[in-house]
Amino acid sequence: MDRDRDYRDGYGGGGSGAYDGGHRRMVGRRPVTDYGSTMVQWMRHRRPRHRGGVALEAERPSPSYIVNMLPPAARLDKAVDTVPAKHLHSSLNKIKHPINVVRWTPEGRRCLTGSSSGEFTLWNGMAFNFETIMQAHDSAVRAAEYSHSEDWLVSADHDGVVKYWQPNFNNVKAIQAHGDPIRDIAFSPNDAKFITACDDATLKIFDFAGGTEESTLSGHSWDAKSVDWHPTKGLIVSGSKDHLVKLWDPRTGRCLTTLHGHKNAISKTVFEPQRGLLLATCARDQTARVFDLRMMRDVCLLRGSEKDISTLTWHPIHVSLLSTGGSDGSILHYLLDEPNLPPGIIPSIPPYDSPDPSNTPAQTLYPAHRIQYAHDFAVWSLDWHPLGHILASGSNDRVTRFWTRPRPGDTQCLNDRYHIGEAAAEAQGTWDRRGGRRIMREEEEQEMEDEAEGLVDQKMPAKQPVLPGLPGIMATPGAVKDGTSTGGAQALQPQLPGVGGFSNSSIPPPVSVAGMSQIEFAALIAEGKIFPPPFVGTGQGIPPPPPNFDLTKLPPGIFPPNFQLPTGFPPIQPPPLQPLPANINGAGLPGVVSDTSSGSGMRRRAPLPSQQESLMMEQQKGKYRISR
């Protein structure tokens, strides 16, 4: 929807990158979607709504009208202008995992993704490059939701644990909400409570401040897959694997009504966020339905999906724009005020225009735009930017993709590989399979570099683990959880500098000197088991060591290099080296053979192994048979 800028790694983004006699590798195209210009254009020319909105010429399909682009908030009556048909960027981690949750931060500066490895990844909201990664949960992240006050984030995982996060992603609390995987989570309108949907077929309402369970909603006969709290009312909707959609009263925990509209497991239930009059549901029966809460019945039946629908989302500004994600990787966009019927389909009458609204069948709608090959596998999560100009999608193909509306005159995006497939796009010349793979590889390398730099350029340095009771002695780097995709903390295996492996069982018990005779005490000092007591001097210098004290039995490295012993101390004699037997002549040493022909006992190095034999052994394994 906004202007795309092409930033490249180099000075001014141009040239071959050769400087100082070296070649500088060019990185792939990185689009930067800047919404500032469209917002400024709207603020300069906007008028009160009763006077007709914006006094600008209507956009036409020509590149010259790019300067007249406006944000979605400026065109409330034209939802079709906001349909995200253009692919912007594909973001993926260095270590790839399926993306289960996609959420924009409340200010829209970053996009948060939760993966099946329990990691949170932050992507830049304009350049879509990597910013940071952290190990948020010990198991797969299943749900995440920001509070209405934009001050808190709650996330739930596969183990039934709910965690509280501040905007800077500081984890302040974790509670064991369920014993089974939590599938969805939602805040109440005043953020005082939140509700969870779990595979144990129950919904639980928790007090946010105390983290305590207040009530349990039981009524589903199978796994509860989705839950949502009305944006302004005390009303809860839930969808389950038992094909039922239920509405609940959170005060009494009573089921108000049950909606029978789907014929398979419910995958998502969402209230319309602007007016709160509509409820959207989708299921594995390849359909989605829109219910009117005033009539308590379905008014729209959304068809057109070839596979099961796994998720859906409302547009944050346009009430009539609804987007769905399918299990085949497709993304469909529906306009509730446009049926968009394919040829040969008889149009149906909306219940609002019927003389008998309660008995009229729901109006059948078909997608206004279809991105059939948006992902390779199922789309698990969809979320709109707060301004409504970018749609983020997370999929089982381990990729997070960003979509926006095409600019005026941009029709090439409708024939890309995401709309017609790689084979058809390659036949039309809009997709180069070999060049596309090269660009994808360069993007992956760039994301890996960004991830490496982002982990180094953190605001706070990594806190070094310290051994308990030993200040200044650090543990090994693998002793704690480090935020990588391995997940889970390893056993603490600290080491002392220069000593190697360290364990509590290897520490000998302290020697008690209470009641010990002087002869035994002197023997322990001579054997090096204990150190001499500190000497309280009388100004006469350092006293000589005890008799028969052997300095060679002290631990190595106790004295610094070039240390001069005081007067009276015997010199430290290094242990003598054991000479080799005279009849060895290097026999038995690896890589050394003795030259007995000359009788001088000289040793020479054995010849190196043949590379031809190594190559033949590798070729027998099936390697290095095809010339490059």
Side-chain angles (χ1 to χ4, degrees):
M1 106 132 216
D2 302 305
R3 296 161 177 78
D4 294 341
R5 300 178 181 175
D6 188 9
Y7 289 100
R8 296 181 182 271
D9 189 10
Y11 298 99
S16 62
Y19 64 99
D20 295 339
H23 178 72
R24 186 169 184 172
R25 181 178 65 86
M26 293 295 297
V27 300
R29 177 181 180 273
R30 168 156 292 178
V32 176
T33 304
D34 182 13
Y35 53 82
S37 57
T38 58
M39 295 295 294
V40 171
Q41 181 84 346
W42 177 41
M43 295 176 65
R44 289 181 59 188
H45 299 281
R46 64 180 176 179
R47 296 186 303 181
R49 293 184 180 178
H50 68 275
R51 297 183 58 186
V54 182
L56 287 177
E57 186 177 359
E59 295 180 11
R60 301 180 185 273
S62 174
S64 61
Y65 285 88
I66 294 179
V67 296
N68 294 334
M69 293 180 63
L70 295 175
R75 299 182 181 272
L76 298 177
D77 56 341
K78 294 184 178 181
V80 66
D81 291 345
T82 314
V83 173
K86 180 180 179 181
H87 171 259
L88 280 177
H89 188 73
S90 297
S91 301
L92 63 163
N93 293 87
K94 178 180 178 181
I95 302 178
K96 307 174 186 63
H97 297 279
I99 306 300
N100 297 331
V101 179
V102 174
R103 289 291 180 270
W104 287 92
T105 55
E107 77 282 355
R109 294 179 179 270
R110 297 171 181 85
C111 182
L112 171 69
T113 61
S115 66
S116 61
S117 63
E119 294 174 335
F120 278 170
T121 305
L122 281 178
W123 305 96
N124 188 277
M126 295 180 62
F128 314 113
N129 59 301
F130 171 86
E131 287 203 356
T132 187
I133 188 173
M134 61 180 297
Q135 188 71 37
H137 289 266
D138 294 332
S139 59
V141 180
R142 294 299 180 188
E145 189 68 26
Y146 275 97
S147 63
H148 297 86
S149 63
E150 304 178 357
D151 293 333
W152 293 96
L153 169 72
V154 291
S155 60
D157 62 11
H158 195 79
D159 293 337
V161 178
V162 175
K163 292 189 176 182
Y164 294 12
W165 306 88
Q166 291 177 331
N168 59 354
F169 292 95
N170 178 32
N171 181 218
V172 297
K173 180 180 286 190
I175 59 176
Q176 186 70 43
H178 293 268
D180 293 324
I182 297 177
R183 297 297 177 178
D184 206 355
I185 194 169
F187 268 103
S188 63
N190 59 357
D191 297 333
K193 307 178 189 304
F194 66 90
I195 186 171
T196 58
C198 181
D199 280 355
D200 58 6
T202 63
L203 311 172
K204 289 186 178 181
I205 299 178
F206 291 85
D207 178 69
F208 178 75
T212 57
E213 177 186 346
E214 288 194 349
S215 61
T216 300
L217 309 182
S218 301
H220 286 291
S221 58
W222 215 343
D223 302 353
K225 294 298 184 181
S226 178
V227 69
D228 194 20
W229 206 309
H230 195 277
T232 58
K233 304 181 186 305
L235 187 63
I236 294 175
V237 62
S238 64
S240 172
K241 207 173 178 179
D242 57 5
H243 312 174
L244 301 179
V245 176
K246 290 181 177 291
L247 295 173
W248 307 81
D249 182 2
R251 301 176 184 86
T252 62
R254 183 172 61 93
C255 178
L256 300 177
T257 185
T258 301
L259 304 177
H260 303 266
H262 293 282
K263 300 177 181 179
N264 210 323
I266 309 297
S267 54
K268 194 69 175 177
T269 56
V270 184
F271 285 111
E272 197 277 315
Q274 291 295 319
R275 302 176 184 175
L277 301 178
L278 301 178
L279 166 66
T281 63
C282 63
R284 294 183 180 177
D285 56 3
Q286 304 180 11
T287 62
R289 293 178 180 268
V290 177
F291 294 84
D292 192 327
L293 299 179
R294 297 167 296 183
M295 304 170 62
M296 281 298 174
R297 55 150 300 174
D298 52 343
V299 294
C300 295
L301 174 61
L302 309 184
R303 295 187 178 274
S305 178
E306 299 177 358
K307 297 292 183 180
D308 301 341
I309 300 178
S310 54
T311 185
L312 58 81
T313 183
W314 291 93
H315 192 271
I317 297 174
H318 295 295
V319 181
S320 60
L321 181 55
L322 185 66
S323 303
T324 65
S327 60
D328 57 349
S330 62
I331 297 178
L332 308 181
H333 304 288
Y334 295 86
L335 296 175
L336 302 186
D337 51 0
E338 296 182 9
N340 295 297
L341 300 176
I345 302 297
I346 300 177
S348 58
I349 301 176
Y352 301 110
D353 299 336
S354 173
D356 187 9
S358 58
N359 297 322
T360 303
Q363 183 185 16
T364 303
L365 304 180
Y366 285 84
H369 187 80
R370 179 193 303 268
I371 308 178
Q372 186 63 38
Y373 306 95
H375 287 274
D376 296 334
F377 298 103
V379 179
W380 293 132
S381 182
L382 295 172
D383 196 37
W384 281 96
H385 190 279
L387 293 179
H389 67 295
I390 298 179
L391 175 68
S393 61
S395 169
N396 200 41
D397 60 2
R398 306 176 175 90
V399 180
T400 303
R401 289 199 167 102
F402 300 89
W403 314 84
T404 188
R405 61 158 289 190
R407 295 180 296 178
D410 186 4
T411 59
Q412 193 75 9
C413 63
L414 302 180
N415 295 322
D416 59 3
R417 65 187 183 100
Y418 303 106
H419 287 80
I420 61 178
E422 291 187 0
E426 189 175 11
Q428 292 189 9
T430 58
W431 165 254
D432 182 10
R433 188 180 300 271
R434 183 174 301 177
R437 291 177 178 175
R438 177 183 55 82
I439 294 176
M440 184 178 300
R441 185 169 58 252
E442 291 179 356
E443 290 180 354
E444 291 183 4
E445 294 176 357
Q446 182 64 35
E447 298 295 350
M448 292 172 61
E449 294 178 4
D450 292 344
E451 184 168 344
E453 294 175 359
L455 293 177
V456 172
D457 299 336
Q458 298 292 335
K459 294 183 178 180
M460 295 296 293
K463 184 177 180 181
Q464 296 291 340
V466 181
L467 293 182
L470 297 178
I473 305 298
M474 301 300 176
T476 56
V480 294
K481 195 187 319 181
D482 55 357
T484 60
S485 60
T486 55
Q490 294 82 14
L492 185 63
Q493 296 292 338
Q495 291 184 353
L496 296 178
V499 178
F502 175 83
S503 63
N504 295 334
S505 60
S506 62
I507 302 178
V511 180
S512 176
V513 297
M516 185 181 298
S517 63
Q518 296 183 359
I519 299 176
E520 295 176 351
F521 185 72
L524 291 176
I525 293 179
E527 294 176 1
K529 295 183 178 180
I530 61 175
F531 292 101
F535 173 74
V536 182
T538 58
Q540 301 297 329
I542 300 177
N548 301 325
F549 183 73
D550 190 1
L551 292 177
T552 60
K553 294 184 177 181
L554 293 178
I558 191 172
F559 296 114
N562 302 325
F563 179 74
Q564 298 294 333
L565 293 174
T567 306
F569 277 79
I572 301 176
Q573 298 295 336
L577 298 176
Q578 298 295 333
L580 291 174
N583 56 353
I584 284 184
N585 291 330
L589 297 180
V592 178
V593 296
S594 58
D595 188 4
T596 57
S597 60
S598 61
S600 60
M602 296 181 59
R603 292 173 296 180
R604 58 185 178 86
R605 184 174 297 276
L608 296 174
S610 173
Q611 296 184 1
Q612 186 69 22
E613 297 178 358
S614 302
L615 178 60
M616 294 177 62
M617 293 176 62
E618 292 294 330
Q619 288 180 345
Q620 291 177 359
K621 299 178 182 179
K623 301 178 180 179
Y624 307 109
R625 288 184 174 272
I626 302 177
S627 59
R628 296 181 179 178

